[in-house]
C-alpha cells in the first residue's frame, strides 16, 4: 500500500469512534486491561487486540506487537513453550517478583512492567491466528498492511500520545522491518530483537538450500493457534477456554492457512514471492535499535536500513532469556523513553555499535563506532588438501581431495595459536570445487578446538551447541552480483540455476549466515569442515561440555535443516572434490581484529 493511502487511512481512523471491548479486571494494581478489542482493517475484516494501559487517564506512548502465537496464551502452560518458560524461570528466578507474570507471552514484552513505567502495550493476533479471523499467511503483504493499519489506529486513539514504538523478538522483530518500510503514521521507533530481514536468504533458503526447520515451527507453534482450530491444546489464560474463535471444519482450516515451507518449495529462486516480503531498506528511516545474535539472526536489517538514527547490538545467548533480563529491559526503556517520550536521557550518546565478544570461558561487551568494527582486516587462511591443514601462508602446490556428498566431508585444521588472537566480524570462504554430478551442496562449519582436541561450542539462538560459524551454498546457484557483494559477503542473486559440468572445477564463494566473534587463546586451533550434508554435533561428539538436547533434530546445528525431497541423492550424493593451492587457492576469510 502506498504511503498516501496510509495517510488517508490515518485521518479516517482519527475521526472514527475508537473500538470498544468490555474491560476485564487485570488483577494488577494500576493497570487497566481491554480484551479482544476489534479493529477494522482496510478490507473490512476485524483483527483482535489486547490493550494494557495505566488506569490513570491520560495520553501515553504505545508499544505494539503483532504475532501468531496467541496474545492470550500463557507461556507457562502451552506445550510448545513450556521448555522456554522453564529456562526463563531458571535463569531469572525473581522474574515473577517484578510482576505477576500473568500476561507474559512468547517472544513478547511483559506489559505490566511497561504500563508501570507510563506506556500502553497493544498486542494483536495476526490475521488468521487466535481471535483474529482470516487467512493465516506469515509475513505476507496483507499481514504487513494489517500491521500498518493497527499502528495508525493506535496513534489516533484517545489514550495515545500519537507515538508508537514496536517491540518484540523473532517473528515480532521480522515484521517490524517490513512495516517500517511502509511509513505508517505514528510510528516513532522500532526495536527488532533478533529478527531476520531477507526473506529468501535468511528464512526460506540458506545459500540456495531450502530450510525445512520451519515445518516444526509451523506445525507446533503456529497452526495450533490458528483461528477456528477447535482442537487446539492452547488455553486462553484470560477466560480459561479457547481463544481461537468460532470452530471451523478441517477443510476450511486447511484452506485458511498457507504453509510457508510448501510455499518455499514452489519458489526455489528469489522471485516476487520473497521480494514482496523483503523490505526495501532505503525506505526504513525510523529510529531503530537492532539486536542481533552471533547465531541466527541478523545484522542485515541494520545494514540495509537508511535510518540516520540507528544502533546495533550483537549478542550471544539463547533465543529467549536475554530479552527478559534486567539489562535488556533497561536498554529497551532508555531507547523508547528517548524516542517516544522525548526524555533527555543521553541516548544519543550511546555507541552506535556494541558487540558481545566471545571467549571459550565467557564474554565481554565492547563499544564501537561502526559495523564491521574499525581496526578489522580480512585474513586469508589457505587450505591444503594434501596435508589437511590451513594457515595464513599461501599454498603453492595444487592438490585435490574428494569426499562423498552424503558423508562426513573434509576437515582442515590450523596449528595451535601461538598468541591470543581475535576474529570478530563477517566470515567468507572461497572454495574451488567439482562434482561427479551436475550439482552439489556445500555445508561449511568454522570450529574452535581446545588443547585437548575437543570442540568448543557456544550457546546459539536456537541451539545450545553451535560452532563459530555456518555457511551454505548450492553450487548451481553460485552466480554473484559484484555490485552488491563485499570482500567477506558474496551476494548471490539466486535467480536461476546453472548446472555444473561433472569433473569441472568452479570457484565458489560460500554464504555464511551470520558474522562471528571469538578471542582464541594460545594453544587453541581453528578448524574448517566442508561436507555435503547438515553439520551438527551428534550424541557422542567430543565437545568441551555436556551435550544439551534441545531441538527435535539434535544432530543439526542452528536453525537450519536441509532434509528435503529437493535434495535428490542421485545429484547431491555424488563424489565431490575440493582443490587447493596455486591458481585454485581455496581459503577461509576471517575478520582479524588488529586494534581493540
Amino acid at each position: 500500500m502506498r504511503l498516501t493511502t496510509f495517510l488517508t487511512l490515518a485521518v479516517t481512523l482519527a475521526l472514527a469512534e475508537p473500538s470498544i471491548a468490555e474491560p476485564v479486571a487485570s488483577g494488577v494494581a494500576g493497570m487497566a486491561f481491554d480484551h479482544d478489542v476489534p479493529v477494522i482493517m482496510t478490507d473490512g475484516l476485524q483483527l483482535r487486540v489486547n490493550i494494557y494501559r495505566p488506569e490513570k487517564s491520560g495520553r501515553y506512548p504505545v508499544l505494539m506487537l503483532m504475532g501468531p502465537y496467541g496474545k492470550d496464551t500463557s507461556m507457562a502452560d502451552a506445550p510448545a513453550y513450556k521448555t522456554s518458560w522453564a529456562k526463563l524461570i531458571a535463569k531469572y528466578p525473581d522474574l515473577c517478583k517484578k510482576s505477576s507474570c500473568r500476561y507474559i507471552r512468547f517472544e513478547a514484552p511483559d506489559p505490566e512492567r511497561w504500563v508501570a513505567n507510563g506506556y500502553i502495550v497493544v498486542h494483536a493476533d495476526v490475521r488468521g491466528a487466535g481471535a483474529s479471523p482470516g487467512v493465516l499467511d506469515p509475513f505476507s503483504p496483507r499481514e504487513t498492511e494489517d500491521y500498518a493499519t493497527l499502528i495508525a489506529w493506535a496513534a489516533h486513539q484517545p489514550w495515545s500520545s500519537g507515538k508508537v514504538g514496536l517491540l518484540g523478538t523473532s517473528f515480532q522483530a521480522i515484521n517490524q522491518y517490513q512495516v517500517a518500510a511502509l511509513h505508517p503514521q505514528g510510528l516513532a521507533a522500532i526495536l527488532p530483537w533478533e529478527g531476520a530481514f531477507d526473506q529468501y536468504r535468511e528464512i526460506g533458503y540458506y545459500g540456495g538450500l531450502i530450510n525445512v526447520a520451519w515445518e516444526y515451527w509451523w506445525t507446533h507453534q503456529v497452526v495450533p493457534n490458528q483461528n477456528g482450530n477447535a482442537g487446539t491444546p492452547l488455553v486462553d489464560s484470560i477466560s480459561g477456554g479457547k481463544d481461537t474463535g468460532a470452530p471451523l471444519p478441517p477443510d476450511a482450516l486447511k484452506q485458511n492457512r498457507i504453509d510457508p515451507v510448501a510455499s518455499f518449495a514452489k519458489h526455489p529462486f528469489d522471485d516476487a514471492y520473497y521480494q514482496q516480503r523483503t523490505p526495501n531498506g532505503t525506505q526504513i528511516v525510523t529510529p531503530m535499535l537492532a539486536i542481533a545474535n552471533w547465531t541466527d539472526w541478523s545484522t542485515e536489517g541494520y545494514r540495509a536500513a537508511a535510518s540516520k538514527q540507528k544502533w546495533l547490538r550483537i549478542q550471544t545467548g539463547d533465543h529467549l532469556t536475554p530479552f527478559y533480563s534486567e539489562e535488556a529491559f533497561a536498554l529497551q526503556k532508555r531507547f523508547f523513553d528517548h524516542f517516544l517520550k522525548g526524555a533527555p536521557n543521553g541516548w544519543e550518546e550511546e555507541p552506535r555499535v556494541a558487540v558481545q565478544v566471545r571467549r571459550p570461558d565467557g564474554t565481554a561487551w565492547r563499544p564501537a563506532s561502526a559495523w564491521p568494527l574499525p581496526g578489522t582486516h580480512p585474513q586469508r587462511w589457505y587450505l591444503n588438501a594434501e596435508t589437511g591443514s590451513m594457515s595464513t601462508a599461501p599454498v603453492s602446490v595444487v592438490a585435490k581431495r574428494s569426499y562423498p556428498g552424503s558423508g562426513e566431508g573434509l576437515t582442515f585444521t590450523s596449528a595451535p595459536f601461538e598468541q591470543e588472537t581475535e576474529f570478530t566480524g563477517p566470515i567468507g570462504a572461497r572454495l574451488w570445487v567439482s562434482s561427479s554430478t551436475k550439482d552439489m551442496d556445500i555445508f561449511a562449519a568454522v570450529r574452535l578446538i581446545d588443547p585437548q582436541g575437543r570442540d568448543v561450542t557456544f550457546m546459539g539462538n536456537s541451539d545450545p551447541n553451535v560452532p563459530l560459524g555456518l555457511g551454505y551454498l548450492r553450487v548451481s546457484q553460485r552466480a554473484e552480483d559484484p555490485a552488491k557483494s563485499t570482500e567477506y559477503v558474496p551476494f548471490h542473486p539466486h535467480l536461476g540455476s546453472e548446472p555444473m559440468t561433472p569433473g569441472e572445477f568452479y570457484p565458489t564463494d560460500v554464504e555464511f549466515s551470520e558474522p562471528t566473534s571469538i578471542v582464541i587463546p594460545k594453544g587453541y586451533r581453528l578448524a574448517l569442515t566442508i561436507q555435503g550434508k547438515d553439520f551438527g554435533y551428534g550424541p557422542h561428539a567430543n565437545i568441551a561440555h555436556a551435550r544439551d538436547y534441545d531441538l527435535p533434530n539434535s544432530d543439526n546445528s542452528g536453525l537450519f535443516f536441509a532434509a528435503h525431497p529437493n535434495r535428490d541423492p542421485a545429484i547431491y550424493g555424488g563424489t565431490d572434490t575440493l582443490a587447493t593451492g596455486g591458481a585454485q587457492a581455496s581459503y577461509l576469510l576471517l575478520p582479524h581484529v588488529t586494534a581493540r
Side-chain angles (χ1 to χ4, degrees), residues 212-564:
V212 299
W214 291 102
E215 279 292 6
Y216 180 85
W217 167 80
W218 177 248
T219 303
H220 292 83
Q221 296 185 342
V222 179
V223 171
N225 190 53
Q226 183 184 0
N227 180 263
N229 185 357
T232 180
L234 304 179
V235 176
D236 182 346
S237 63
I238 307 303
S239 68
K242 305 293 184 183
D243 193 34
T244 49
L248 294 174
D251 286 347
L253 279 175
K254 190 172 182 179
Q255 291 175 1
N256 269 10
R257 63 178 183 254
I258 299 177
D259 183 330
V261 176
S263 297
F264 299 159
K266 293 176 183 176
H267 299 274
F269 305 117
D270 190 11
D271 60 14
Y273 174 86
Y274 304 101
Q275 291 161 16
Q276 290 174 346
R277 289 160 170 77
T278 298
N280 180 346
T282 65
Q283 294 299 310
I284 300 177
V285 296
T286 309
M288 65 183 292
L289 168 59
I291 308 298
N293 194 301
W294 295 122
T295 308
D296 302 313
W297 288 308
S298 163
T299 61
E300 189 57 32
Y302 170 84
R303 293 176 62 243
S307 306
K308 295 186 183 301
Q309 295 175 298
K310 63 178 183 178
W311 288 261
L312 174 67
R313 301 289 182 271
I314 310 178
Q315 63 184 15
T316 188
D318 65 56
H319 178 61
L320 203 64
T321 55
F323 181 74
Y324 294 97
S325 71
E326 285 301 303
E327 294 81 6
F329 180 74
L331 181 72
Q332 297 160 10
K333 184 176 178 298
R334 283 193 69 222
F335 176 75
F336 284 123
D337 281 354
H338 181 76
F339 286 106
L340 270 59
K341 292 185 174 182
N345 58 13
W347 176 265
E348 289 283 359
E349 302 305 316
E350 279 286 312
R352 288 302 178 111
V353 174
V355 296
Q356 193 172 9
V357 178
R358 298 184 295 192
R359 294 174 176 266
D361 58 353
T363 65
W365 281 97
R366 180 188 304 152
S369 59
W371 178 258
L373 302 182
T376 303
H377 300 282
Q379 187 176 76
R380 293 184 181 186
W381 285 75
Y382 293 92
L383 311 183
N384 189 326
E386 185 176 36
T387 62
S389 64
M390 65 177 183
S391 71
T392 56
V395 177
S396 58
V397 178
V398 176
K400 300 178 177 65
R401 186 180 293 186
S402 298
Y403 59 95
S406 57
E408 298 303 321
L410 309 175
T411 294
F412 298 85
T413 308
S414 75
F417 277 69
E418 297 180 356
Q419 61 184 12
E420 184 176 273
T421 304
E422 180 181 346
F423 299 108
T424 296
I427 308 174
R430 162 62 63 93
L431 305 177
W432 281 83
V433 297
S434 73
S435 176
S436 63
T437 71
K438 65 179 181 179
D439 205 356
M440 64 181 283
D441 288 339
I442 298 174
F443 296 77
V446 182
R447 301 156 54 194
L448 180 65
I449 311 298
D450 74 5
Q452 289 72 45
R454 302 171 300 182
D455 268 87
V456 180
T457 61
F458 300 87
M459 175 63 72
N461 171 296
S462 57
D463 188 330
N465 292 272
V466 296
L468 291 174
L470 293 166
Y472 311 87
L473 184 66
R474 174 152 289 182
V475 177
S476 60
Q477 295 177 221
R478 61 192 176 276
E480 295 183 30
D481 182 345
K484 295 182 178 179
S485 299
T486 68
E487 185 171 10
Y488 289 108
V489 184
F491 185 87
H492 300 286
H494 294 298
L495 297 179
S497 178
E498 184 182 349
M500 305 171 69
T501 298
E504 184 174 333
F505 280 88
Y506 298 88
T508 61
D509 293 308
V510 178
E511 292 182 17
F512 278 81
S513 53
E514 306 298 339
T516 194
S517 178
I518 185 64
V519 176
I520 301 177
K522 180 180 178 180
Y524 283 64
R525 294 176 293 152
L526 278 175
L528 174 66
T529 293
I530 301 165
Q531 56 192 40
K533 65 175 186 177
D534 285 308
F535 177 83
Y537 298 101
H540 306 296
N542 182 28
I543 61 177
H545 58 79
R547 181 68 168 93
D548 182 351
Y549 287 90
D550 193 52
L551 293 176
N553 186 345
S554 55
D555 286 348
N556 291 54
S557 283
L559 188 64
F560 182 88
F561 302 149
H564 189 271

Side-chain angles (χ1 to χ4, degrees), residues 47-242:
L47 298 193
R48 298 282 175 162
V49 308
N50 286 351
I51 304 170
Y52 307 87
R53 53 189 174 82
E55 283 184 340
K56 184 179 179 181
S57 61
R59 290 182 177 271
Y60 299 91
V62 177
L63 293 181
M64 180 176 281
L65 67 154
M66 183 179 81
Y69 304 122
K71 59 181 176 49
D72 296 318
T73 301
S74 168
M75 223 197 317
D77 300 322
Y81 311 136
K82 279 187 175 181
T83 299
S84 295
W85 179 253
K87 285 185 175 182
L88 187 60
I89 293 303
K91 183 74 176 287
Y92 308 122
D94 292 336
L95 183 70
C96 295
K97 294 179 181 178
K98 301 179 185 301
S99 81
S100 71
C101 286
R102 184 180 304 177
Y103 299 102
I104 295 181
R105 306 294 181 244
F106 185 61
E107 300 181 347
D110 182 353
E112 287 183 49
R113 301 199 67 184
W114 288 99
V115 168
N117 282 277
Y119 287 87
I120 289 172
V121 176
V122 177
H123 189 168
D125 281 330
V126 299
R127 179 180 295 243
S132 295
V135 176
L136 180 58
D137 187 5
F139 305 122
S140 64
R142 174 71 259 183
E143 190 177 270
T144 305
E145 182 178 325
D146 289 343
Y147 203 178
T149 303
L150 287 169
I151 292 167
W153 168 83
H156 290 86
Q157 295 306 298
W159 31 257
S160 171
S161 71
K163 290 190 174 183
V164 180
L166 307 182
L167 176 61
T169 184
S170 194
F171 187 104
Q172 288 122 173
I174 298 168
N175 61 13
Q176 290 184 45
Y177 291 123
Q178 291 178 303
V179 75
L182 297 183
H183 303 179
Q185 195 171 70
L187 184 60
I190 62 173
L191 205 164
W193 192 285
E194 295 189 12
F197 181 83
D198 189 312
Q199 289 276 323
Y200 182 86
R201 292 162 185 80
E202 297 185 282
I203 294 180
Y205 287 77
Y206 282 19
L209 283 77
I210 192 169
N211 186 5
V212 299
W214 291 102
E215 279 292 6
Y216 180 85
W217 167 80
W218 177 248
T219 303
H220 292 83
Q221 296 185 342
V222 179
V223 171
N225 190 53
Q226 183 184 0
N227 180 263
N229 185 357
T232 180
L234 304 179
V235 176
D236 182 346
S237 63
I238 307 303
S239 68
K242 305 293 184 183

